[in-house]
Amino acid sequence: MNLNRFLCIAGQGAARRLAVGLLLTTAGVLGASAATAASKVEQPIEFPHDTHAGKMGINCLYCHTYARRSAVSGIPPLQKCMGCHQNIESVKDRPRIKQLFEYWEKKEPIPWKKVHDLPEFVRFSHERHVQRFYFKQERPIQEACMPCHGDVKGMTVAEKVQPLSMGWCVSCHEQDHRIDNVSAKTSNGPNDCWQCHK
Amino acid sequence: MDHLNKEKDIREDIAWAQINKDVLRSLEKPRPMFWVLFGLAVAMFSVGVGCEIYQYRTGMGVANMNNPHMWGLYIATFIFWIGMSHSGTLLSAILHIIHADWRKPIYRFAEAMTTFSLMTAGLFVMVHLGRLWQFYYAVPYPNERWTWPNFQSPLLWDAMAIFTYLSSSIIFLYVGSIPDFAICRDNAKGWRKTFYTVLALGWMGTDRQWRNFRVAYLTVACFLIPLAVSVHSIVASDFAMSQQPGWHVTSFPPYFVAGALYSGCAAIITLFIVLRYTFRFEEYMTMPILDKVARLTFAIAMVWTYLNLIEFASVWYGHDPYSKDVLIQKATGPFAPFWWMMIFCGSIVPFALAVKKFRANLTIMMIVSLLLNLGMWLERWMIVAPTYSHGYYPWTWDHDQWPSFVQWGIVFGSFGWFGLLFMIFCKLVPSVSMYEVKEMVYHRTLANKHSREA
Amino acid sequence: MSTTYMLRDWTKLRETHPQPGPAAGHNEYKWAMAIDLDVCTGCNACVVACYAENNLPVVGKEKYSHGQAMHWIRIERYWNEEDIETPHQGAQFLPMLCQQCEAAPCETVCPVGATNHTADGLNSQVYNRCIGSRYCSANCPYKVRYFNWYNYPEQEMVWPEPLPMQLNPDLTVRTKGVMEKCTFCVQRLTAAKNTARNEGRTVKDGEVTTACAQACPTGAITFGNMVDPYSQVSEKWRRQQVELHKDQQDKDKNGGSNGLRGYRIFEELRPYPSIMYLERMRDTKA
Amino acid sequence: MSNINRRDFLKVLGWSGATVAVAGCGNTSVESGAETVMSYVQPEDFVVPGIGVYYASTCTQCEASCGVTGRVREGRILKLEGNPESAINQGRLCGLGQAAVQHHYNPDRLKEPMLRQGGSLQATTWDKAMALLAEKTGNLKGEQFALLSGGLSGHLKVLVQNYVDSLGSKNLYVYDALTPAVNRAVSQKLYGTATPRFHLDKAQVIVSFGADFLDTWVSPVHFASQYAQFRKAQQRMPSEKARGTLVQIEPRMTLTGANADRWIPIIPGTEGILALGLANALLKSGAAAKNLPAAVVSAVQAYDKARINKETGVSGEVFDKLVTLLSERSPSLVLSGPSAEGHAHGAQNAAAIMLLNVVLGNVGRTITAPAKLPFPQLAAAEGNSAALTAFNDGLAQGRFKTVFIYDANPVYTAPEFMKLRDNLQKAEFKVAFAHYLDETALEADLVLPLDSALEDWGTHIAAYQSGGIELTMQQPLMEKLYPNGTRSLGDVMLDLLKQRRADEYKGFADYYTYLKIALTRNKGAFSDAPADDEAFWNQALSHGVLRVKGQEQPISVNAAALDITQPAPTGDDQFPFHLVPAVRSGFRDGRHANLPWLQETPDSLTTLVWDSWVEIHPKTAERMGIKEGDILEIASKNGSIKTQAYLFPGVQPDTVAVPLGQGHEALGRYAKGVGVNPFKLLDPVFDQSTGELAMHATRVKVSKTGAHVKVVKEEGWSPLPINTQQGRKLVATIAADKANLSKEV
């Protein structure tokens, strides 16, 4: 267990992988496979998060509206995009917006590519995390999302910046987090295997 | 002084050069027959491999296990091979400590047997796993998932014990044969020369080397004995620690160890006869030695029988109706033929060893030893299967489950694998320890001189 | 389960005997059942419900004949030994599922800790962790653990298109070589707990139930939280004077002629099962 | 919400095999951008990905019409559960009902219309098919057309009826192999209503002559929940603080029999005699003979204990116990079931049995009349087997040119002696409205695939109404799997009607609008219906149940109308055994045999799976040297079947039982070639008064073939001839009077 602590101090990602790798090659391999480096994904429309979340400062939950209610954060329905863009004359002629309108006219959903994809046997709930770190702790939304999704303000299309691997999840679940913004009470994340494994 | 008027374990006038010559002959270019047998072993092994591949790709179902028959021949045979492995330790380590020097001509191949049967047993643990490709989850190493195996589980103890035992018995085997490697080196040519040169680690036979050698050898021997006992006790606790009727028995660990030594000795007799015949080792693997081994085996057989009876008694007079139920099923149920066969082979047949005339007859000894081994294998099977078919829960009783060809195939293959390793061994390592035989001869002559002077 | 947790949980969940509540490390929940055998008619509705909820494969005749069926809950039918000739008192039905033992024999023996105790008093089975040593099943007195002998998703009769569309996305389809068993529909429990947490409360009695209990036409199965003293299930246990942490109930000590029907199967083996059965009744005047 | 909208939010979202994980495939890392994630174009705000939405509908697996709610996620229907709103099943649902999803997703479902061309069925289009129907029915004389249908109710019944009328035909044959038609007829005579309400929960004692109300009879789920009340003493009114006692009298143990406090095996066909014996004894022991005609009172005199013992095989001691039980505890309830009614004198049996309710004064207490349905045209038309006989005769005489068959599989269910398969050939154009290519569809010239019950609209009114009358709504739970392949029968009927009476039906775009208009028009007939049409409609859909305002009516008794004369039991040396075609709750008349869940679910009593078997009493088996798994030949005058023997103590020694539902030659991969079909064996015996096929009157002989198989069953190996607990305390039993129920909750 002390060893674990050591690894924890050794920190996320590379450093720990190195440590592990030294200890046992197999582990090294696993570690490497688990924590894939940040990767840029080809999307049907190169959606500029930087403009929306950054320049416009739109709340993440405005578009990813299911995140507070459901396990999945949800890709905004086409209707949502149109809701604003129908009335924004200034950018109507931009190529990306054109694409958007095409989809809308065809009434077919945009085949977005998954960026943050978890293995199918993982039971992850956006709802719980948003409730705790956004509503309960009353942090700015960016802060609540950042630990997993990175600084989206700076990206055009979203990029995967964290390994999203088991050890990485556990490392955060083991730490104590404040219950809410008033009380000093803290608690750590659930540690039953069944909380995340389905 | 009755040992004088007995036939001698070994001729005292045998020349040391002669010993080298005889033993090294066993390493010479093999006869055609060797290749025939070798091919046979390979064939057997590949049957096993074939079955395993099939099972690996299709799933354990093809072994025709089910609920409740969760374990099958694999575990039974696993225990069998572990048992085998006790022979070497017994002969080399234990007898070494108690200075029974008649062991010297025969301990080398016994040790080899230990190592190889352990390797075979290890395979069965793997074969048994439903998800072989994930076996490393059972290895305690710090990993990305931050997970550890369950240190409460007897299976984990098993894995560790076996691994330790295997590695240390390999060391033991190797250390013990360094001086002989040196002899081989001095007599070998070509690639064999380099081969033995590497293995001999520059052994010159200086006093210092001999002193260190003795210490090292003794240390490993002492280290090995508790291991040998523990490893089979732990295998026993796989069952004793669980709470199934017929398994949950306190006397299991000693019972298992006894059984192990028993099957080990039986196997030694078999290989003794085989080697004596193939390599014409009549000079070294002499009848008196066989006689001693046989008597030892008989003794152990009786211990085993005794422990067996104890187990029955404790179950019979115990408070647990379920275990009693299982015992009755063993004796009367569908497994009865095998069970009685085991009793016969394990407790009746050994009485043949009590007869001097039989002990002197190689053919009979061969047959007996094989029967004993069969009995010991059946014993393991009779521990695993009946409890499953007749456990606590009557709704899941299943009396007509029978292992599929896959299970039989893999068990069959394991013998091929063992044979394979052993044959290779015989051609690379002197299967009789030359330097120790020399010692033995030397000691005997001294002893005689003294007794004559007296 | 990281080392920190491993060690902590073992001391907490294994050493103390399972008093529902914090003593045994059940902070908010201890899921348990009471099954009334007097109204269980053996109609198998629960079995089908389980197949539907938990993505159980239909193995087919040949594998069934080898005893490789995968039903997490099974209805057992016994006959009365007294009247073998004609069963005047009908048959005896018993729904048998994982008893979610508090000191589960299966947990201690798993070499990789794929099955271990959750803080809700469930006996969890983590498919990804399982390496298929089958020791847990070997050690289960009830034989309610089921092993994936084959890769069922690949068997062409099991889920031919479009049958897979029915599969429940809240839990996985198990691959070959892993052990599985009744989970008390943990996917439902987790969902209910999440909702409750969001509203800053604990799950109310009757808010969540298992598929079998929900389907049962006679309501023979009661499911609930034993930590909540007012839940139906703890009420039943209390009325029957069956206590989770005892391996022999006080009421049974003096011959047990007290007319109470509650009992647990193989209590004497000390697994401390979380399912209490209520004795089946028969009118002797009829 | 409009139909269009529904389609949109029932849309299946990005379904792929990967949506359901295969655990432990070991890939703990997932490559980004590998999968696409779909979203709705215009979402309904109550649809949230990752969260199940529940829609109310109606179960169509049997006639009980339980309310169901379907769990829909990402547009896929995952699971059916009971609808708590429905008074029929009160949120519960049997295995058969839950298996409906497997009808919907069944790999063997028909995906496109098929037309017989050159001897074989070829794929065709709906347009062609409809045109062909128009042509074939165009200039057809009314009597040349016949429609054979399964049980009908609600608006679909109206449409079908109207269509048949529009062709000027009288030949609408509503057929169901298993409805207790005899019971209905006799009830009609005695109580003045065919479907009286039974109050099991109010009864102290229930004596059931083969009525398997827990598993297969009339409305099992409803009766099961009533049964729970009946058993759980503490839930009953304080006045009657006893746990109800159930006595089951039948030749072969049903699930209900297995749950009885006393199961009494009886020689098949002699139930009436026993009933009259009871009546006699009860009257002697001073039961009130009021509203009993003198004729009856005198008639029962003849049935004394000795005779009962001799003719029914029920021992005097058992008989006495029963008499005391009935005379001591009141109210009681006596039920007459198929095994008593399935004889040439079935009606007399039923009459004799129901007479007991009059003798015991149960009528009006545990038996009451159902409320009156304001619109009889929607009332359930329950099928009966007399309809099949009539239909078959029509075919045999070659009276029909065009034949429609819907929701029935006569080729499979008709006994051999009817020669229905051959007779069917005499009709020149046969149309099968089907879900599968079953035996009947294979004989048809045109096969029209229908929507599954989970894709279709509809309304149902169960024949048996427990409380106030319920009209249950059926609505699609997901978009059609085969949008261009399958159609709703309602839509088809509308189109056909438009072919005949265009002006009358032009107002209705499709079945959906028809239903909506039809219901909203007379929403006055339903209790607490909102004034606004949309509100009413949405409420109807969200609740799935509409309560009909029907006024209660008193129940009448007319014992004089009953014919209770009992023929003397006859033997048959050549065919010594009685055959009981046992109904399995999972398969019913065989229509559900292609559902894998139901094939894999063990039979409750024998625990066998995936096959047929013949149940034979261990003693009889011993006498004939039969072991479990021996292949036996069961031969009647009309044919023979070969299947495995299962030694079953719950069967009367001169009786053998073979379960119904297996032995399909077609239907689908899970049903085809599994087991045998006892329908084929049945003797041409009919109930004299109703003309119903007497299902329990067949005599057979049993012989060993020498072959032997391993019986595939759930129950474990046992050293005893039957499976017991081997001394373990698994199912503990306590005498009811010993149990201390006062404390229980």
Side-chain angles (χ1 to χ4, degrees), chain C residues 42 44 61 64-65 71 77 79 81 85 88 92 157 165 170 173 175 239 259 261 263 280 282-283, chain D residues 21 23 71 73 76 245 261 263 604-605 611 617 670 710 714 723-724 730 733-734 736 740 743-744:
Chain C
N44 274 316
K61 184 177 184 180
Y64 210 114
S65 72
H71 42 52
R77 190 272 296 111
W79 297 109
E81 266 152 15
E85 189 77 14
H88 287 297
Q92 307 162 333
M157 283 293 267
M165 289 180 87
D170 292 346
V173 171
T175 181
R239 298 284 184 111
R261 303 195 289 139
Y263 70 101
R280 154 184 179 275
R282 280 297 178 259
D283 185 345
Chain D
R71 175 165 179 248
R73 234 192 88 171
R76 291 184 290 125
T245 299
D261 297 84
W263 176 75
S604 293
L605 282 158
D611 206 343
H617 193 278
Y670 297 105
K710 181 189 178 188
E714 166 62 22
N723 200 313
T724 70
L730 304 173
T733 305
I734 182 171
N740 169 6
K743 286 212 191 65
E744 293 191 4

Side-chain angles (χ1 to χ4, degrees), chain C:
Chain C
M1 164 179 58
S2 80
T3 335
T4 335
Y5 287 136
M6 183 175 72
L7 300 171
R8 194 182 68 204
D9 295 349
W10 280 354
T11 48
K12 201 165 63 183
L13 296 178
R14 290 269 168 65
E15 284 172 11
T16 62
H17 269 329
Q19 196 75 267
H26 311 124
N27 308 324
E28 296 168 321
Y29 306 102
K30 161 60 198 160
W31 303 112
M33 263 189 192
I35 302 180
D36 187 342
L37 296 181
D38 190 45
V39 288
C40 169
T41 63
C43 69
N44 274 316
C46 48
V47 178
V48 179
C50 191
Y51 271 82
E53 175 74 20
N54 292 310
N55 302 343
L56 301 185
V58 167
V59 299
K61 184 177 184 180
E62 191 264 347
K63 293 188 177 60
Y64 210 114
S65 72
H66 290 134
Q68 294 166 341
M70 298 298 287
H71 42 52
W72 284 359
I73 178 173
R74 58 176 189 247
I75 299 290
E76 296 167 4
R77 190 272 296 111
Y78 299 104
W79 297 109
N80 186 353
E81 266 152 15
E82 278 70 62
D83 40 35
I84 276 182
E85 189 77 14
T86 329
H88 287 297
Q89 293 205 324
Q92 307 162 333
F93 291 109
L94 176 70
M96 178 46 70
L97 60 158
C98 173
Q99 304 285 303
Q100 309 290 351
C101 308
E102 274 299 323
C106 53
E107 285 169 10
T108 45
V109 295
C110 174
V112 292
T115 174
N116 43 54
H117 221 64
T118 75
D120 301 352
L122 291 180
N123 169 233
S124 71
Q125 175 72 29
V126 187
Y127 309 125
N128 293 69
R129 182 65 174 168
C130 179
I131 60 171
S133 76
R134 309 193 286 293
Y135 201 168
C136 50
S137 173
N139 207 22
C140 173
Y142 310 92
K143 292 281 174 279
V144 284
R145 296 178 143 266
Y146 299 92
F147 187 71
N148 285 270
W149 298 106
Y150 296 90
N151 196 355
Y152 291 109
E154 277 179 7
Q155 305 266 321
E156 95 274 17
M157 283 293 267
V158 177
W159 284 299
E161 288 296 334
L163 267 179
M165 289 180 87
Q166 183 271 331
L167 293 173
N168 184 353
D170 292 346
L171 68 158
T172 48
V173 171
R174 281 72 59 185
T175 181
K176 78 174 172 217
V178 301
M179 189 62 74
E180 65 185 62
K181 66 162 191 73
C182 163
T183 66
F184 271 2
C185 291
V186 66
Q187 65 280 10
R188 293 180 172 208
L189 304 182
T190 317
K193 274 159 60 187
N194 285 351
T195 335
R197 271 206 216 93
N198 295 343
E199 298 162 14
R201 57 176 177 87
T202 57
V203 176
K204 294 195 221 75
D205 192 34
E207 187 178 347
V208 61
T209 186
T210 61
C212 50
Q214 184 180 25
C216 180
T218 57
I221 307 178
T222 317
F223 176 82
N225 177 8
M226 291 273 279
V227 176
D228 167 8
Y230 304 108
S231 69
Q232 250 194 324
V233 71
S234 36
E235 190 65 30
K236 279 186 191 278
W237 281 61
R238 205 178 311 114
R239 298 284 184 111
Q240 296 297 338
Q241 297 173 24
V242 176
E243 291 175 89
L244 192 63
H245 65 291
K246 294 234 170 93
D247 53 36
Q248 195 199 5
Q249 303 301 334
D250 302 348
K251 60 165 187 168
D252 302 335
K253 289 228 168 86
N254 43 26
S257 57
N258 46 25
L260 294 175
R261 303 195 289 139
Y263 70 101
R264 293 186 294 175
I265 295 174
F266 290 144
E267 207 166 38
E268 68 276 19
L269 301 179
R270 298 197 186 82
Y272 305 96
S274 305
I275 298 182
M276 176 186 74
Y277 290 90
L278 289 115
E279 289 179 5
R280 154 184 179 275
M281 290 188 271
R282 280 297 178 259
D283 185 345
T284 42
K285 295 197 175 53

Side-chain angles (χ1 to χ4, degrees), chain B residues 29-49:
Chain B
K29 194 162 168 308
R31 285 168 286 167
M33 193 55 194
F34 175 91
W35 293 115
V36 176
L37 294 171
F38 194 79
L40 195 69
V42 174
M44 279 173 79
F45 180 49
S46 39
V47 169
V49 173

Side-chain angles (χ1 to χ4, degrees), chain B residues 308-363:
Chain B
N308 223 350
L309 291 174
I310 283 190
E311 193 213 328
F312 298 159
S314 60
V315 169
W316 191 260
Y317 298 108
H319 69 287
D320 180 359
Y322 309 118
S323 331
K324 195 167 171 179
D325 208 1
V326 174
L327 184 59
I328 295 168
Q329 277 305 317
K330 283 181 181 173
T332 61
F335 289 107
F338 305 107
W339 191 77
W340 288 109
M341 180 102 178
M342 154 204 143
I343 297 289
F344 173 75
C345 295
S347 303
I348 312 300
V349 172
F351 280 97
L353 300 171
V355 184
K356 202 166 189 315
K357 200 146 92 282
F358 292 164
R359 289 208 299 272
N361 180 327
L362 285 178
T363 347

Side-chain angles (χ1 to χ4, degrees), chain A residues 85-97:
Chain A
H85 276 282
Q86 250 155 351
N87 318 329
I88 310 178
E89 297 301 329
S90 56
V91 295
K92 269 220 169 108
D93 51 356
R94 303 273 181 81
R96 292 172 185 164
I97 310 298

Side-chain angles (χ1 to χ4, degrees), chain A residues 6-159:
Chain A
F6 157 71
L7 293 175
C8 183
I9 294 150
Q12 318 296 354
R16 191 167 90 246
R17 283 215 305 291
L18 181 64
V20 176
L22 291 175
L23 280 158
L24 206 79
T25 13
T26 344
V29 175
L30 282 176
S33 70
T36 44
S39 56
K40 204 157 173 101
V41 177
E42 192 64 30
Q43 296 287 11
I45 300 180
E46 197 191 17
F47 179 85
H49 280 93
D50 46 6
T51 326
H52 291 80
K55 203 138 106 273
M56 305 292 165
I58 301 170
N59 187 315
C60 307
L61 292 179
Y62 179 77
C63 299
H64 299 285
T65 157
Y66 302 126
R68 81 182 68 159
R69 301 183 275 168
S70 166
V72 298
S73 64
I75 296 297
L78 209 40
Q79 207 176 21
K80 199 99 186 182
C81 316
M82 298 307 294
C84 302
H85 276 282
Q86 250 155 351
N87 318 329
I88 310 178
E89 297 301 329
S90 56
V91 295
K92 269 220 169 108
D93 51 356
R94 303 273 181 81
R96 292 172 185 164
I97 310 298
K98 280 218 180 69
Q99 275 177 286
L100 177 65
F101 275 82
E102 282 163 19
Y103 280 107
W104 176 250
E105 276 133 29
K106 280 183 288 178
K107 281 278 176 291
E108 70 181 34
I110 307 172
W112 298 108
K113 291 261 176 287
K114 264 192 192 167
V115 176
H116 296 89
D117 195 3
L118 289 171
E120 301 288 359
F121 48 77
V122 175
R123 180 188 284 121
F124 173 83
S125 168
H126 275 90
E127 183 188 23
R128 281 304 301 142
H129 291 83
V130 171
Q131 290 290 344
R132 172 73 170 273
F133 296 109
Y134 179 55
F135 291 109
K136 281 268 177 0
Q137 294 189 347
E138 291 182 3
R139 296 206 218 149
I141 184 71
Q142 308 276 6
E143 244 182 71
C145 305
M146 195 177 304
C148 307
H149 294 284
D151 182 12
V152 179
K153 280 208 254 37
M155 310 173 185
T156 55
V157 297
E159 292 164 22

Side-chain angles (χ1 to χ4, degrees), chain B residues 282-319:
Chain B
E282 292 80 0
E283 286 289 345
Y284 310 95
M285 305 189 176
T286 56
M287 293 312 284
I289 294 181
L290 179 60
D291 185 79
K292 288 193 174 59
V293 180
R295 273 186 281 165
L296 183 62
T297 317
F298 177 68
I300 298 173
M302 290 306 106
V303 174
W304 178 82
T305 314
Y306 169 70
L307 286 166
N308 223 350
L309 291 174
I310 283 190
E311 193 213 328
F312 298 159
S314 60
V315 169
W316 191 260
Y317 298 108
H319 69 287

Side-chain angles (χ1 to χ4, degrees), chain D residues 437-439 442 664-669 671-673:
Chain D
L437 213 50
D438 58 21
E439 289 84 348
L442 280 175
H664 283 274
E665 301 156 14
L667 194 65
R669 67 192 71 184
K672 193 175 178 187

